[in-house]
C-alpha cells in the first residue's frame, strides 16, 4: 500500500478542509434544538431509510441513502424516490445541516469520522441478526425521532406479518 496521495485524494482532502473551515465560520452544523424532536434527519442506510420513512414525519427527513431511489436495492423505491438523497459523503451530509444522522456500522469509516469531527449528532446501528434486534432498531429510531407510538405500531405490523 502506497502512502502517496492521488489527485482525487488531494481534491477530497481539500474539499473536506474547506468544508470544515466554512462550517466553523458559518456557525457549524445545526444542533438538535432544545425541543423534543430532531427536525433534519439524514439516513445513510437503506434498512434505516425504510424504518425512518415509516416512523418520522415527512418534514423531519432531510435525506435518505441513494439506495432508496433504486428499485433493485430498496424495499421502498416508490416512496423513497420522493425524498432527497445522498451518496454518504460527509460533504453532502454536512451541507444538509442535519441535527441527526442515522448511520450503519458499514457506513464509510471516513464519513463517520468526518461527521464526528464536525460534531454531527450521529446514531450508529449494527446489522440485526434476529427479528428481535430488528424490532429494537424500529423502536430506537422511533424514539430518536420522538414518535414512539409509530414505532410500536410498525413493530406490531412486523410481528403480525
Amino acid at each position: 500500500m502506497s502512502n502517496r496521495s492521488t489527485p482525487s485524494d488531494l481534491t477530497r482532502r481539500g474539499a473536506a478542509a474547506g468544508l470544515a473551515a466554512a462550517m466553523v465560520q458559518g456557525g457549524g452544523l445545526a444542533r438538535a434544538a432544545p425541543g423534543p424532536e430532531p427536525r433534519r434527519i439524514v439516513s445513510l442506510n437503506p434498512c434505516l431509510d425504510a424504518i425512518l420513512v415509516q416512523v418520522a414525519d415527512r418534514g423531519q427527513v432531510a435525506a435518505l441513502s441513494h439506495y432508496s431511489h433504486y428499485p433493485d436495492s430498496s424495499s421502498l423505491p416508490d416512496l423513497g424516490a420522493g425524498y432527497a438523497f445522498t451518496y454518504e459523503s460527509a460533504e453532502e451530509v454536512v451541507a444538509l445541516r442535519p441535527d441527526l444522522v442515522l448511520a450503519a456500522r458499514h457506513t464509510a469509516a471516513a464519513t463517520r469520522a468526518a461527521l464526528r469531527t464536525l460534531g454531527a449528532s450521529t446514531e450508529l446501528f449494527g446489522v440485526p441478526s434476529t427479528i428481535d434486534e430488528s424490532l429494537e432498531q424500529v423502536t430506537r429510531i422511533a424514539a430518536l425521532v420522538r414518535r414512539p407510538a409509530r414505532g410500536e405500531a410498525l413493530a406490531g405490523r412486523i410481528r403480525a406479518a
Side-chain angles (χ1 to χ4, degrees):
M1 176 179 266
S2 171
N3 286 334
R4 291 185 300 182
S5 296
T6 66
S8 63
D9 290 336
L10 295 174
T11 302
R12 285 188 191 118
R13 285 188 200 133
L19 177 63
M23 295 304 293
V24 169
Q25 291 172 355
L29 292 170
R31 298 286 180 196
E37 68 187 46
R39 299 180 187 278
R40 297 193 52 77
I41 305 164
V42 174
S43 170
L44 302 178
N45 175 274
C47 297
L48 303 176
D49 294 347
I51 297 168
L52 182 62
V53 299
Q54 297 294 316
V55 299
D57 291 346
R58 184 175 182 86
Q60 287 180 284
V61 181
L64 301 175
S65 73
H66 66 281
Y67 298 106
S68 66
H69 283 242
Y70 301 125
D72 59 340
S73 64
S74 175
S75 60
L76 54 116
D78 295 333
L79 181 60
Y83 289 87
F85 66 94
T86 75
Y87 286 98
E88 287 189 44
S89 74
E91 294 86 358
E92 288 176 302
V93 175
V94 169
L96 292 167
R97 302 181 60 80
D99 49 19
L100 176 61
V101 178
L102 305 179
R105 294 210 186 279
H106 57 273
T107 297
T111 296
R112 292 191 340 241
L115 293 172
R116 200 170 31 253
T117 298
L118 294 170
S121 176
T122 304
E123 289 291 324
L124 189 60
F125 292 83
V127 177
S129 58
T130 66
I131 293 171
D132 285 341
E133 289 175 0
S134 293
L135 295 173
E136 287 173 21
Q137 281 192 350
V138 168
T139 56
R140 181 175 164 202
I141 292 171
L144 287 168
V145 303
R146 309 301 194 262
R147 302 292 184 271
R150 290 181 190 168
E152 288 303 318
L154 178 56
R157 290 193 307 272
I158 292 168
R159 284 186 196 98

